[in-house]
Amino acid sequence: MSRTSETKERHNIMLTPSSWKLINELGRIQRKSASEILEEALWKMIESEGYNSTYFKLMATAEQCDPQENEELTRVLDEMTEEDMRITRKYDLHR
């Protein structure tokens, strides 16, 4: 999933003033918006904490499903190994 190609949505969040100042300072230093800083931090946390990034990528784009189906999908994704997610073939698709 390309995170940069998605249409952005506006959301309200609550942060302490000191956190907001730090995000803005990081944004100034890196020439990025607060949104970009937060989004990058989110995906780095998912990766560094060892969460299944495939699960989060699928859940971010999937339609809502009932709790039973969600539990089943979560179980299947949690059981996937690195081998299951290894790319075995690549194809270039021409338009």
Side-chain angles (χ1 to χ4, degrees), residues 12-28:
N12 293 325
I13 60 171
M14 300 289 289
L15 296 170
T16 62
S18 59
S19 293
W20 182 246
K21 285 179 185 178
L22 290 173
I23 290 170
N24 281 318
E25 182 61 13
L26 281 170
R28 184 188 68 74

Side-chain angles (χ1 to χ4, degrees), residues 90-95:
K90 281 187 170 182
Y91 296 98
D92 290 329
L93 301 177
H94 303 284
R95 293 181 181 215

Side-chain angles (χ1 to χ4, degrees), residues 5-49:
S5 66
E6 289 182 76
T7 302
K8 302 288 184 173
E9 296 178 348
R10 184 173 301 276
H11 298 278
N12 293 325
I13 60 171
M14 300 289 289
L15 296 170
T16 62
S18 59
S19 293
W20 182 246
K21 285 179 185 178
L22 290 173
I23 290 170
N24 281 318
E25 182 61 13
L26 281 170
R28 184 188 68 74
I29 292 168
Q30 295 189 2
R31 298 181 188 274
K32 296 179 180 177
S33 69
S35 298
E36 290 172 303
I37 298 290
L38 292 171
E39 194 166 354
E40 284 181 19
L42 165 71
W43 288 104
K44 285 180 182 176
M45 180 181 181
I46 287 171
E47 292 169 8
S48 71
E49 295 290 324

